[in-house]
Amino acid sequence: MEANSAKGTILLIEDEDEIADLVQMFFEQEGFRFVRAVDGEAGVERVREREPRVVLLDIGLPGIDGVEACKRIRAISDVPVLMLTARDSEIDKVVGLEIGADDYITKPFSPRELVARVRAVLRRAEERPTAPSVVEVDDYVIDSGRREVRLPDGVVVRPTAREFDLVWYLAERRGLVLSRAQILEGVWGYDYFGETRTVDVHVRQLRKKLPDVPIETVWGVGYRMSD
Ligand code: CA
């Protein structure tokens, strides 16, 4: 069994005490250290001071909102950020904007599901290859050691953690048609309860950042990176 200290600290930035108490209880039962902040500015400070392994960030906060807090966290840390969204309409705001969040969960969520998501985030972070490995697609170099994409003109693009996992997953399997469900399983690491549009939103982001990387839509199925 993993030692508690190895599990690290979870930071929750949430202004609703009832939710925060419940979430804290579940994570502490699982052996995580738990730190809380009730607004975005305090949350960003906690990231600096406590170096958490995962941040759970509510969107609706007093003062700066979760979107702004996420941007500020990204400016100082690569810590995985999981957003807590109150409404479906907020989801596009989270995944569509380039704020660097790794995942999101819609309220009301079960604490058990939240713990499962955090475990998946931690597992992915641990499974990242330590030996640099590179895939070339057309004249693009996708580098999993540096987690960056080098364009033919020498420009370096650093997608968000999740976007990089996605482009890497497609590039390693180039030529193969992959269903959205396969991609969710492979990149997100679990069944996303049918929320396959997450894949579409992230592909759209990748196409914006890497317009000439050949990610094809295969209608009715999913995606393929062409050879
Ligand atoms: Ca709130």
Side-chain angles (χ1 to χ4, degrees):
M1 195 175 150
E2 222 177 345
N4 284 1
S5 58
K7 284 197 172 179
T9 301
I10 306 291
L11 169 63
L12 172 65
I13 307 170
E14 164 69 83
D15 58 321
E16 287 158 80
D17 280 341
E18 270 179 39
I19 294 175
D21 289 345
L22 186 67
V23 169
Q24 175 163 11
M25 195 182 76
F26 268 81
F27 277 96
E28 286 182 345
Q29 275 171 6
E30 296 290 321
F32 289 95
R33 275 191 298 267
F34 201 86
V35 175
R36 278 156 68 162
V38 294
D39 65 56
E41 275 159 342
V44 176
E45 267 316 295
R46 294 292 103 74
V47 170
R48 212 189 293 275
E49 295 161 6
R50 302 296 298 266
E51 299 182 353
R53 284 189 70 194
V54 177
V55 175
L56 311 176
L57 175 57
D58 188 32
I59 291 236
L61 291 169
I64 63 168
D65 69 5
V67 170
E68 178 60 28
C70 188
K71 289 183 194 163
R72 294 192 192 178
I73 290 168
R74 270 294 156 269
I76 59 168
S77 171
D78 289 329
V79 63
V81 176
L82 200 154
M83 306 292 294
L84 313 181
T85 66
R87 292 183 305 277
D88 253 17
S89 60
E90 288 179 343
I91 293 172
D92 280 345
K93 201 162 142 194
V94 173
V95 288
L97 289 176
E98 304 200 1
I99 61 172
D102 293 87
D103 202 353
Y104 67 88
I105 189 167
T106 307
K107 289 178 178 177
F109 52 80
S110 84
R112 229 174 274 285
E113 190 195 341
L114 183 59
V115 170
R117 294 284 183 96
V118 166
R119 286 192 187 289
V121 165
L122 292 172
R123 202 164 47 237
R124 276 196 305 277
E126 279 161 18
E127 281 169 2
R128 269 171 202 161
T130 46
S133 185
V134 160
V135 172
E136 286 181 47
V137 178
D138 293 349
D139 290 325
Y140 287 79
V141 178
I142 302 167
D143 185 329
S144 77
R146 294 172 179 272
R147 298 183 65 77
E148 67 187 26
V149 180
R150 293 191 286 282
L151 309 189
D153 58 7
V155 170
V156 172
V157 176
R158 290 195 182 82
T160 66
R162 185 55 56 81
E163 287 163 5
F164 186 85
D165 290 342
L166 175 60
V167 75
W168 179 252
Y169 186 82
L170 295 171
E172 272 195 308
R173 292 160 185 78
R174 60 195 180 283
L176 300 178
V177 175
L178 302 163
S179 72
R180 289 178 176 80
Q182 262 177 303
I183 295 169
L184 276 174
E185 174 72 31
V187 175
W188 277 258
Y190 49 80
D191 174 6
Y192 216 88
F193 307 100
E195 293 188 50
T196 50
R197 78 176 165 127
T198 299
V199 175
D200 301 329
V201 175
H202 280 80
V203 166
R204 206 157 64 224
Q205 285 302 114
L206 273 178
R207 283 173 170 159
K208 265 191 232 161
K209 289 184 185 176
L210 307 168
D212 296 319
V213 165
I215 301 173
E216 294 169 15
T217 302
V218 182
W219 294 106
V221 185
Y223 295 97
R224 167 175 57 195
M225 191 172 287
S226 48
D227 257 329

